[in-house]
Amino acid sequence: MKQVTNTPLGEGVLWFVTGSQHLYGDETLKQVADHSQVIVKALNAAAQIPVQVLFKPTVKSTEEIYTVCQEANSDKNCIGIITWMHTFSPAKMWINGLKILQKPLLHLHTQFNRDIPWGDIDMDFMNLNQSAHGDREFGFMVTRMRRNRKIVVGHWQDEETLQSIGGWARVAAAWQDWQGAKFVRFGDNMRYVAVTDGDKVEAEYKFGFSVNTHGIGDLVKVINATTDEAVDKLIQEYEDTYKLATTLTKDGAQRQSLKDAARIELGLKAFLQDGNYKGFSDTFEDLHGMSQLPGIAAQRMMAAGYGFAGEGDWKTAALVRAMKVMGAGLKGGNSFMEDYTYHLDPANPLVLGSHMLEICESIADGKPSCEIHPLGIGGKADPVRLVFNVAAGDALNASLVDMGNRFRLLVNTVEAVAPEHDLPKLPVARVLWKPHPDFKTGLAAWILAGGAHHTCYSQNLTAENLEDFADMANIEFVVIDKKTNLYELKKDLRLGEVYYR
């Protein structure tokens, strides 16, 4: 089985289900099965596809189709089904199976041969290689049943086809990861804030994960039980991994703050592991019993794959976790992010993204610096944090918002840029970007669509990945990219209001 280090990706499998019918006879059906196995073997050998693809026997009847869908639903390792109609597969046979199928669906519209064998083609060849209309028959039924699915068109050996399947596999793994996932909020939502809150009951019904609150005292109890030996061991890891500020070194004046930060990280990690949580949120308004707001702890927990968002924003914490799973093993990272301030030079307008402390080191450009500075909010001791710049390049921001009658997943593609000047007095991790299609249009579009100030910033995912994820969740998807104009966006948002009523 394919494995990707430290990620749920390697645990999942995709089922490859080929459709046909008994009409063609045993010889043709044997060729169908042989061809399907060749394709599956090639998919498993493809570096673009990060999970195992499992061959399933050709389905040729209503009963066989229903059974394979039922078995997929009950298999915890099955993250989705790839379907392909090698021959004609009468689509009424698929109705009952598609009615009960709960796993994501990818329809691969391909054929075994790439080229027409011009000098040899005969009716035997035509009867065997009927994907051109077999897939249309199947596609009609999926559309008739109003079921979301991914459609990938192209020969199964083409680079673009493999990339599309691989990207969708990552999204399916993230969707599977959400099913039954638990997220914890330490304290409630930041007081009076709207966009970071939402309907947790509807979210569990719609997305499959639960969100529940623990008082900060529950976490403090675990933090206080952490041993000095464990703290010393973690501090050694800090010293080996980061550039420590002078005041945090062994004889530094603020060494105790580093110990306090390490104790918080160890307690937080133990709490999440004991509760089988995949992410968390906290708020600086509820820190009773803690010496400092978790800074480096939140940053490192994200780097380990946990979802996180500040100020009680459980939706973004869950989204960060999902995007961590999608991007596992790819170059670049995913992090909690906030649009913080602007550079309004007409010739070069920019957004500066950051947060008070908690930006994931997976997106750092170079070795982070471990520093301590006043926070200026929350009334606690100065917190320890990792400070770094983020590399230039293509990226995106994604936001999950509760619109009252539906959830909306909003994505803005951006171009990150290297800082033109040093930022010696800014004691937090930061990134500068140009939103697409341009600064004014991108920002106005985000505000029109109700996007939050909290996002997940990604260096390794695409808008298509997030669109596939929204399709799996059956929620609204809005993208702001190089092609966006406000007139068309307003029309799309109005149409969305009509559709979701």
Side-chain angles (χ1 to χ4, degrees), residues 77-90:
N77 290 324
C78 176
I79 62 173
I81 290 182
I82 300 174
T83 56
W84 172 49
M85 306 304 117
H86 192 320
T87 64
F88 200 74
S89 180

Side-chain angles (χ1 to χ4, degrees), residues 166-187:
W168 182 84
R170 291 178 171 279
V171 175
W175 178 249
Q176 180 77 359
D177 184 71
W178 261 13
Q179 306 313 301
K182 295 164 55 181
F183 294 87
V184 60
R185 287 204 300 175
F186 296 112

Side-chain angles (χ1 to χ4, degrees), residues 317-386:
L319 184 62
V320 169
R321 167 64 184 187
M323 292 172 68
K324 288 281 188 184
V325 175
M326 289 183 218
L330 297 176
K331 183 180 179 180
N334 293 272
S335 174
F336 171 55
M337 186 59 68
E338 179 173 272
D339 293 63
Y340 223 103
T341 194
Y342 296 138
H343 181 60
L344 292 175
D345 177 359
N348 186 34
L350 299 168
V351 178
L352 191 152
S354 185
H355 203 252
M356 296 183 298
L357 300 171
E358 314 97 339
I359 303 299
C360 178
E361 62 181 290
S362 68
I363 64 172
D365 183 18
K367 189 175 185 178
S369 174
C370 183
E371 303 178 12
I372 182 170
H373 301 277
L375 186 61
I377 193 169
K380 288 290 181 179
D382 300 346
V384 176
R385 81 291 303 272
L386 300 175

Side-chain angles (χ1 to χ4, degrees), residues 399-417:
S399 173
L400 182 63
V401 293
D402 186 342
M403 298 300 296
N405 65 336
R406 66 191 185 278
F407 289 99
R408 171 180 289 166
L409 182 57
L410 178 62
V411 170
N412 183 201
T413 60
V414 304
E415 178 192 353
V417 298

Side-chain angles (χ1 to χ4, degrees), residues 269-304:
K269 182 177 181 180
F271 192 101
L272 295 177
Q273 289 180 337
D274 291 346
N276 196 28
Y277 293 109
K278 293 183 176 179
F280 68 102
S281 66
D282 61 17
T283 173
F284 56 81
E285 289 182 322
D286 193 351
L287 296 174
H288 185 71
M290 294 184 67
S291 58
Q292 56 182 268
L293 180 67
I296 189 173
Q299 291 176 295
R300 284 171 52 85
M301 294 307 291
M302 270 191 287

Side-chain angles (χ1 to χ4, degrees), residues 146-394:
R146 274 69 173 179
R147 181 184 174 94
N148 291 343
R149 78 283 202 188
K150 176 76 170 180
I151 301 172
V152 175
V153 179
H155 192 254
W156 50 275
Q157 292 177 311
D158 288 350
E159 170 72 18
E160 187 175 347
T161 299
L162 295 171
Q163 288 282 8
S164 294
I165 296 172
W168 182 84
R170 291 178 171 279
V171 175
W175 178 249
Q176 180 77 359
D177 184 71
W178 261 13
Q179 306 313 301
K182 295 164 55 181
F183 294 87
V184 60
R185 287 204 300 175
F186 296 112
D188 202 354
N189 195 59
M190 182 180 173
R191 290 188 280 274
Y192 304 112
V193 177
V195 74
T196 56
D197 212 343
D199 188 336
K200 296 189 292 294
V201 175
E202 184 65 18
E204 186 164 354
Y205 173 74
K206 197 74 177 173
F207 300 131
F209 64 76
S210 64
V211 182
N212 289 289
T213 299
H214 271 268
I216 199 68
D218 293 340
L219 174 60
V220 170
K221 182 179 179 181
V222 180
I223 291 171
N224 290 341
T226 303
T227 66
D228 292 340
E229 292 78 10
V231 169
D232 291 340
K233 183 178 179 180
L234 182 55
I235 286 179
Q236 184 61 55
E237 184 177 333
Y238 290 169
E239 291 175 335
D240 294 340
T241 307
Y242 311 114
K243 296 177 290 186
L244 258 64
T246 303
T247 59
L248 297 177
T249 56
K250 187 174 182 179
D251 297 321
Q254 294 174 298
R255 181 71 167 188
Q256 184 59 45
S257 294
L258 187 66
K259 293 181 178 181
D260 293 342
R263 196 176 300 275
I264 290 171
E265 179 182 338
L266 290 166
L268 180 59
K269 182 177 181 180
F271 192 101
L272 295 177
Q273 289 180 337
D274 291 346
N276 196 28
Y277 293 109
K278 293 183 176 179
F280 68 102
S281 66
D282 61 17
T283 173
F284 56 81
E285 289 182 322
D286 193 351
L287 296 174
H288 185 71
M290 294 184 67
S291 58
Q292 56 182 268
L293 180 67
I296 189 173
Q299 291 176 295
R300 284 171 52 85
M301 294 307 291
M302 270 191 287
Y306 288 91
F308 170 80
E311 298 143 28
D313 186 356
W314 54 270
K315 298 190 303 300
T316 302
L319 184 62
V320 169
R321 167 64 184 187
M323 292 172 68
K324 288 281 188 184
V325 175
M326 289 183 218
L330 297 176
K331 183 180 179 180
N334 293 272
S335 174
F336 171 55
M337 186 59 68
E338 179 173 272
D339 293 63
Y340 223 103
T341 194
Y342 296 138
H343 181 60
L344 292 175
D345 177 359
N348 186 34
L350 299 168
V351 178
L352 191 152
S354 185
H355 203 252
M356 296 183 298
L357 300 171
E358 314 97 339
I359 303 299
C360 178
E361 62 181 290
S362 68
I363 64 172
D365 183 18
K367 189 175 185 178
S369 174
C370 183
E371 303 178 12
I372 182 170
H373 301 277
L375 186 61
I377 193 169
K380 288 290 181 179
D382 300 346
V384 176
R385 81 291 303 272
L386 300 175
V387 178
F388 51 84
N389 290 325
V390 176
D394 292 336

Side-chain angles (χ1 to χ4, degrees), residues 8-23:
L9 278 175
E11 301 170 6
V13 296
L14 294 172
W15 287 16
F16 192 94
V17 179
T18 306
S20 188
Q21 60 179 329
H22 287 291
L23 177 67

